[in-house]
Amino acid sequence: MATETVAKPRTSARVHVQKFGTFLSGMIMPNIGAFIAWGIITALFIEKGWLPVPVLGGFGETGGKPNVGLVGPMITYLLPLLIGYTGGKNVYDVRGGVVGAIGTMGVIVGAGIPMFIGAMIMGPLGGWTMKKIDMLWEGKIRPGFEMLVNNFSAGIWGALLAMLGFFGISPLVTAFSTGAGNVVQFLVNNGLLPLTSIFIEPAKVLFLNNAINHGVLTPLGVQQSLDQGKSILFLLEANPGPGLGILLAYMFFGRGAAKASAPGAAIIHFLGGIHEIYFPYVLMRPLLILAAIAGGMTGIATLAVTGAGLVAPAAPGSILAVLAQTSRDSYLGVILSVVLAATASFLVASVIMKTTKHSDETDLGDATARMEAMKGKKSSVSSTLIGAGAGAGAGASAGAASGGRGGVGVLAGPVRNIVFACDAGMGSSAMGASVLRNKIKAAGFPDVKVTNASIASLSDTYDVVITHQDLTERAKPATSSAVHYSVDNFMSSPRYDEIVELVRESNTEGGTSDAGTAHGAHAAEAPVDAAPAAAGAAAAAPAAGSSDILARESVVMRGSATTRDAAIDEAGRLLLARGAVDEGYIAAMHEREESVSTYMGSFLAIPHGTNAAKNHIRKSAVSVIRYPEGIDWNGKQVKFVVGVAGINNEHLHILSSIAKVFTNKEQVARLEAATSEDEVLELFGKVNA
């Protein structure tokens, strides 16, 4: 019987741009502290600084020798090497980071100028190429020679990359940096730089702010700051004035929840530097993007006229961070740029709000529909994301309204770890995490950990992941086993109350195990999705039946597969040999994997069929295969593959045991060290004792 194929949803061009921008900013954001340190040292100790110190600022002579100082070496070597290492590490862990840093050194020495763009090329290139090289001899190295091969391969390839950077990449990047600098100077000299706001302000509202600021403007700004002692580029995107003006307009002329929440949002935006807080207010009234553009243009024009700038990036975009990084001779110009930008934005926003109807300001939740109206088309991504947030009793209505469905949502027992993720991990996520943390504490669950992180740094270790609805699609691949919630407003999303209810249901003794599976949007679709959610659901299936579901002949201590697809076949063949499924179910396992990854974290993948493949299941069964050397599973290392076929929840008992084992590092280590099939069976049996 032919299996039904499922078409993959198309990813919009904007999401691709977001992903690339996040990748670029992901190399800068973790190192912002180093940029700030360099900015402070520069502002204080250079010859024109507040406290000129020759040996620190790098001017003058000591003992007849020129002072090197800290400013030059930090900007020339430290910061690019940090970026190169981070870029390589993001692609291929520490090993990729080391090779990326080696390659970056070649670009630095070859160019003789700060090589931020070069580092953003060589770092990921080093990590990616090292990963591909390691794959050539994966599993082929004789025991005892691993360290020799790994160290020398990294050293040899790093040396080759350093030479490539020195001779090949550095001239190209130098030419690009020089050309980009000339373009910026041309815009400044001809009074055209304010026109960049026409692109920057709308891009910010579409969550491309970090891509623009830290992926493009920061590298160019650092070079300009080194040459001129300051740069206007650091404040093109980070100026808090335009957003402040819009929020002030809502305070005076808004209605309902928008007006009531605007004062708090203004404080968070202006002092906390979380610019994302005002994006929903613009999305409710797309015309307000004109106010943001007017404010941005006014601020940039003021900076250009006064010749003001910052010595280093202002991150986050708080007025406090802006003033801390302001050049000594630029305080008047910088303050004026913020004040005048806010004024221009406020005036334009006020006119728009007073001369247009207010029917579109009834609720902040309408921001999703307004976003689609601004795009001029229906967004399938947005519909899916709205559905992803539906849970805890609201899932049915939200899912029906959007026609979408949520993330894979495997809730392994009580909710203990919640993460609020945003593009950079230091803006809206910090505010959202603070709001939700207080709600959960007030509900009587202070032990539930609520943190914030950037999407780029997410790992599959969280029970619940919360993102803005425009970013959820990017968070899902890295956190496939978590329950996902999408929010459209960082201040008072109704999703927070749903999450609190989820915590209450899953963390209260006697609470229904259905709570977790209801939040995983297709618990009914896939047999495994319900299993970890019912971590304590031994009652769902008789313990006596577990031996029939996981039998000794279905445990393989050393699998023969070397790829993800081959491993799925191997797990499926064990189910087939048990008479649990027919051939069509194995095809459905591949179909499911192409739709949503079944990687669970802790070296575990649980492939299973689609909902449409239930008619291919003859009886419940589970197969367990261990791959001691590990196999690549969509970029994740998997050492244990558990094939699943279930009817009427009969398999939940065994899967509950498996879920408990793989949430315990000690148990995972014991499983890795097991020498017989009986040890595996005994380990799972003891978990349920």
Side-chain angles (χ1 to χ4, degrees):
M1 178 177 177
T3 57
E4 182 181 323
T5 59
V6 178
K8 289 185 179 180
R10 289 187 178 182
T11 303
S12 69
R14 179 179 56 79
V15 172
H16 284 300
V17 174
Q18 282 184 338
K19 287 182 178 180
F20 180 67
T22 298
F23 180 74
L24 294 180
S25 63
M27 289 183 267
I28 301 289
M29 292 301 294
N31 300 305
I32 283 295
F35 278 90
I36 293 174
W38 173 76
I40 292 173
I41 291 172
T42 301
L44 289 177
F45 303 128
I46 63 174
E47 191 169 6
K48 296 181 180 180
W50 291 98
L51 301 171
V53 178
V55 294
L56 296 178
F59 61 93
E61 296 182 352
T62 299
K65 296 182 178 180
N67 290 316
V68 176
L70 288 174
V71 176
M74 286 181 71
I75 197 68
T76 303
Y77 300 105
L78 175 63
L79 296 181
L81 286 174
L82 285 175
I83 292 171
Y85 174 82
T86 304
K89 185 175 183 293
N90 288 346
V91 174
Y92 191 42
D93 206 9
V94 174
R95 184 169 170 81
V98 172
V99 175
I102 297 172
T104 300
M105 193 65 190
V107 180
I108 293 172
V109 177
I113 61 173
M115 274 284 100
F116 291 95
I117 296 176
M120 295 169 78
I121 295 173
M122 296 304 296
L125 178 63
W128 182 78
T129 52
M130 193 70 250
K131 182 178 181 179
K132 293 300 181 182
I133 290 172
D134 283 350
M135 290 174 64
L136 294 176
W137 46 69
E138 184 178 1
K140 301 177 183 177
I141 304 174
R142 292 183 177 275
F145 289 85
E146 294 89 352
M147 184 175 293
L148 181 69
V149 173
N150 288 339
N151 287 345
F152 270 85
S153 62
I156 293 171
W157 183 243
L160 291 174
L161 277 182
M163 288 186 282
L164 173 65
F166 186 94
F167 292 107
I169 305 299
S170 63
L172 298 177
V173 177
T174 300
F176 173 80
S177 298
T178 302
N182 292 337
V183 170
V184 171
Q185 197 59 49
F186 172 81
L187 294 175
V188 172
N189 293 340
N190 292 274
L192 300 176
L193 195 60
L195 296 179
T196 58
S197 291
I198 297 174
F199 306 100
I200 291 176
E201 297 302 329
K204 286 173 63 176
V205 178
L206 292 176
F207 286 94
L208 297 172
N209 50 322
N210 287 303
I212 293 171
N213 195 21
H214 299 300
V216 179
L217 297 179
T218 291
L220 295 177
V222 167
Q223 181 62 52
Q224 190 179 60
S225 178
L226 187 65
D227 296 337
Q228 304 175 15
K230 59 188 174 185
S231 176
I232 191 176
L233 301 181
F234 292 133
L235 210 50
L236 298 193
E237 185 273 341
N239 192 330
L244 178 63
I246 290 172
L247 292 172
L248 290 174
Y250 268 98
M251 288 170 58
F252 286 97
F253 305 111
R255 291 184 180 179
K259 180 174 183 177
S261 60
I267 293 173
I268 292 171
H269 166 74
F270 192 63
L271 297 180
I274 304 175
H275 289 203
E276 289 93 337
I277 193 68
Y278 80 85
F279 295 174
Y281 295 85
V282 177
L283 298 180
M284 285 189 289
R285 277 180 172 270
L287 273 178
L288 289 180
I289 197 65
L290 298 177
I293 292 173
M297 294 178 67
T298 302
I300 295 173
T302 303
L303 291 171
V305 169
T306 59
L310 308 186
V311 297
S318 162
I319 186 61
L320 302 178
V322 169
L323 293 177
Q325 299 294 3
T326 297
S327 174
R328 183 177 180 181
D329 61 356
S330 299
Y331 279 96
L332 177 61
V334 168
I335 293 173
L336 274 177
S337 75
V338 175
V339 172
L340 295 180
T343 301
S345 179
F346 171 76
L347 292 175
V348 175
S350 299
V351 171
I352 292 173
M353 296 180 71
K354 290 293 288 182
T355 58
T356 57
K357 295 181 180 180
H358 288 261
S359 58
D360 57 350
E361 292 182 22
T362 55
D363 192 271
L364 287 176
D366 293 339
T368 305
R370 298 303 170 188
M371 178 183 67
E372 291 177 343
M374 181 174 65
K375 290 181 178 179
K377 62 179 181 178
K378 182 68 176 177
S379 171
S380 60
V381 174
S382 295
S383 297
T384 302
L385 297 179
I386 295 171
S397 60
S402 66
R405 68 184 188 184
V408 293
V410 178
L411 187 56
V415 174
R416 299 297 186 196
N417 196 349
I418 300 174
V419 64
F420 201 120
C422 71
D423 197 19
M426 57 188 296
S428 58
S429 63
M431 186 275 297
S434 178
V435 172
L436 183 59
R437 188 180 302 116
N438 292 335
K439 283 180 173 287
I440 290 177
K441 285 184 178 179
F445 300 94
D447 294 333
V448 176
K449 186 177 181 181
V450 182
T451 57
N452 62 286
S454 67
I455 288 178
S457 68
L458 287 177
S459 60
D460 206 8
T461 57
Y462 302 99
D463 299 317
V464 178
V465 177
I466 308 150
T467 53
H468 184 276
Q469 61 189 28
D470 221 5
L471 301 174
T472 306
E473 185 179 81
R474 291 158 54 197
K476 283 183 180 179
T479 53
S480 59
S481 63
V483 177
H484 281 263
Y485 281 86
S486 300
V487 299
D488 56 8
N489 142 39
F490 308 121
M491 291 290 291
S492 56
S493 173
R495 293 287 177 262
Y496 296 162
D497 293 330
E498 297 172 13
I499 296 166
V500 171
E501 185 60 28
L502 172 62
V503 171
R504 180 178 289 109
E505 291 178 0
S506 65
N507 291 37
T508 301
E509 187 174 354
T512 62
S513 62
D514 291 340
T517 58
H519 290 270
H522 38 276
E525 173 199 22
V528 67
D529 286 348
S546 63
S547 61
D548 294 330
I549 295 171
L550 177 58
R552 190 177 189 276
E553 61 264 32
S554 295
V555 177
V556 176
M557 302 302 296
R558 179 176 286 275
S560 60
T562 57
T563 65
R564 182 200 70 178
D565 290 344
I568 293 174
D569 282 333
E570 192 168 5
R573 292 294 172 189
L574 289 175
L575 299 176
L576 183 66
R578 290 276 309 281
V581 301
D582 61 25
E583 289 280 355
Y585 188 78
I586 300 177
M589 293 172 73
H590 286 283
E591 182 181 334
R592 168 59 189 242
E593 197 64 43
E594 290 301 321
S595 173
V596 180
S597 174
T598 57
Y599 175 76
M600 297 292 156
S602 298
F603 307 115
L604 171 67
I606 309 184
H608 53 275
T610 61
N611 188 50
K614 285 185 176 181
N615 60 327
H616 295 287
I617 303 175
R618 296 170 180 170
K619 65 178 182 179
S620 297
V622 170
S623 61
V624 177
I625 308 174
R626 186 177 67 176
Y627 298 94
E629 286 76 31
I631 58 176
D632 180 76
W633 200 283
N634 299 333
K636 306 288 186 180
Q637 187 182 38
V638 165
K639 295 184 178 180
F640 305 96
V641 174
V642 176
V644 178
I647 298 176
N648 298 328
N649 293 334
E650 293 171 348
H651 59 301
L652 291 187
H653 185 78
I654 287 297
L655 289 181
S656 170
S657 302
I658 293 173
K660 289 180 181 179
V661 167
F662 283 94
T663 54
N664 185 313
K665 291 183 178 180
E666 182 180 344
Q667 300 283 22
V668 173
R670 288 180 58 193
L671 191 58
E672 288 188 81
T675 58
S676 70
E677 293 85 349
D678 291 333
E679 287 183 61
V680 175
L681 296 174
E682 182 184 8
L683 180 59
F684 290 144
K686 284 185 176 181
V687 171
N688 285 289

